[in-house]
């Protein structure tokens, strides 16, 4: 749900959507709390729910459209939205709705939380599909990593006083080391924003309700995970999809990390173990370049928290 003013569905998007699914009986703003996010939860006259998403720019629209057409079907029925229609002129996508609540809004009991991360790992492994990686995708994944390392100086310049000289040196060392690992990292079709807010959980817990750490007698850790928001999906090293989890819910939760990789079906390679903390440092620099200018305090906080962990010698906690 958006914060501040409610974003109204433009008439042109409504006309387009109704041509595809019929008259809309309900429309709700479902945007993220940032100016460029434009998403509406709509209901058709027959009671079916859909989402209309208007991308912020052509690059994000093309990435998300390609992701839904090429990689997302591998996740299986009910595990991700299905692309119904697109409109390149309006940068719009019409998507089916999948049930669930973002894991980030839930306080899940231990078994449920681990089950969610185990399923997250299994779904990302399907999405990554490295066995079927086309040659062009492998080249694109390599180029993406090089660009990421090259962008470090730009991010350091924009971060300004938020970055001490020690932290700048840490980020630069990380960029240099990532370049040396380029040929050793498995390429993949990544989600690009794999974090708990983009993982929907259908289970016994509900938003805002705190539940016990263990299920009641006879209750198993049940539930199903679905993944949403593919506007940053692209070819890149698979390890990049683990960065936001390592910088977020896996902190001090080795059980969640272990459950994820159990679902993923393989551990990190030696190269990925080296790359993950380096990518976390580069992500932190990006956070400090972007967050303050856009009023996204959670992004800024993630960057500062990550750098503090790395600076304190907690390098190994990321892997």
């Amino acid at each position: 749900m958006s914060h501040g003013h409610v974003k109204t569905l433009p008439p042109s998007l409504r006309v387009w959507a109704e041509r595809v699914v019929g008259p809309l009986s309900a429309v709700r703003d479902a945007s993220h709390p940032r100016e460029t996010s434009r998403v509406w939860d709509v209901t058709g006259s027959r009671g079916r729910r859909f989402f209309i998403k208007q991308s912020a720019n052509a690059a994000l629209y093309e990435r998300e459209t390609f992701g839904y057409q090429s990689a997302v079907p591998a996740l299986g029925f009910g595990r991700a939205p299905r692309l119904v229609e697109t409109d390149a002129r309006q940068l719009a996508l019409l998507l089916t709705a999948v049930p669930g609540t973002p894991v980030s809004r839930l306080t899940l009991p231990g078994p449920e939380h681990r089950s969610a991360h185990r399923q997250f790992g299994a779904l990302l492994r399907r999405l990554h599909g490295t066995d079927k990686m086309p040659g062009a995708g492998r080249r694109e994944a390599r180029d993406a990593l090089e660009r990421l390392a090259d962008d470090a100086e730009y991010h350091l310049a924009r971060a300004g006083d938020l970055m001490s000289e020690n932290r700048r040196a840490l980020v630069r060392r990380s960029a240099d080391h990532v370049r040396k690992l380029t040929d050793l990292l498995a390429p993949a079709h990544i989600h690009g924003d794999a974090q708990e807010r983009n993982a929907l959980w259908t289970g016994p817990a509900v938003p805002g309700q705190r539940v016990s750490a263990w299920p009641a007698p006879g209750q198993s850790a049940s539930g199903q995970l679905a993944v949403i928001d593919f506007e940053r999906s692209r070819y890149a090293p698979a390890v990049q999809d683990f960065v936001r989890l390592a910088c977020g819910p896996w902190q001090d939760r080795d059980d969640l990390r272990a459950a994820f990789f159990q679902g993923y079906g393989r551990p990190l390679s030696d190269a990925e173990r080296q790359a993950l903390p380096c990518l976390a440092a580069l992500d932190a620099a990006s956070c400090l370049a972007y967050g303050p200018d856009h009023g996204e305090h959670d992004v800024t906080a993630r960057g500062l928290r990550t750098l503090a962990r790395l600076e304190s010698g907690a390098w190994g906690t990321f892997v």
Side-chain angles (χ1 to χ4, degrees), residues 138-149:
R138 292 179 182 276
R139 291 189 294 274
E140 188 176 329
R142 178 191 172 91
D143 292 344
L145 195 65
E146 294 282 356
R147 284 195 303 273
L148 190 67

Side-chain angles (χ1 to χ4, degrees), residues 127-239:
L127 183 72
H128 287 173
T130 52
D131 293 340
K132 302 176 182 177
M133 180 67 55
R138 292 179 182 276
R139 291 189 294 274
E140 188 176 329
R142 178 191 172 91
D143 292 344
L145 195 65
E146 294 282 356
R147 284 195 303 273
L148 190 67
D150 291 343
D151 286 345
E153 285 300 327
Y154 170 75
H155 292 148
L156 289 175
R158 287 193 61 189
D161 295 339
L162 288 173
M163 297 285 285
S164 67
E165 284 307 313
N166 285 341
R167 291 182 174 184
R168 289 174 184 275
L170 185 154
V171 170
R172 290 183 176 118
R173 288 196 304 272
S174 297
D176 289 342
H177 194 54
V178 159
R179 290 188 182 95
K180 297 173 184 175
L181 298 171
T182 301
D183 292 329
L184 302 175
L185 297 173
H189 189 135
I190 68 169
H191 179 277
D193 193 14
Q195 55 181 314
E196 285 189 338
R197 82 174 186 191
N198 291 326
L200 304 187
W201 181 251
T202 304
V206 296
Q209 178 181 356
R210 293 193 172 274
V211 290
S212 63
W214 301 101
Q219 177 189 1
S220 63
S222 59
Q224 178 168 296
L225 194 84
V227 182
I228 61 170
D229 198 350
F230 291 86
E231 70 179 16
R232 299 190 183 278
S233 68
R234 62 196 184 276
Y235 292 120
V239 67

Side-chain angles (χ1 to χ4, degrees), residues 103-145:
V103 174
S104 59
R105 297 183 193 171
L106 297 169
T107 302
L108 292 170
E112 301 288 342
H113 208 174
R114 288 189 288 274
S115 180
H117 277 256
R118 190 175 299 111
Q119 292 183 44
F120 208 175
L123 291 175
L124 286 187
R125 185 65 184 273
R126 292 183 201 170
L127 183 72
H128 287 173
T130 52
D131 293 340
K132 302 176 182 177
M133 180 67 55
R138 292 179 182 276
R139 291 189 294 274
E140 188 176 329
R142 178 191 172 91
D143 292 344
L145 195 65

Side-chain angles (χ1 to χ4, degrees), residues 18-39:
E18 290 188 332
R19 284 200 202 104
V20 180
V21 300
L24 301 181
S25 60
V27 176
R28 181 181 67 86
D29 179 18
S31 308
H32 285 305
R34 61 176 182 270
E35 182 56 37
T36 57
S37 177
R38 287 174 169 77
V39 183

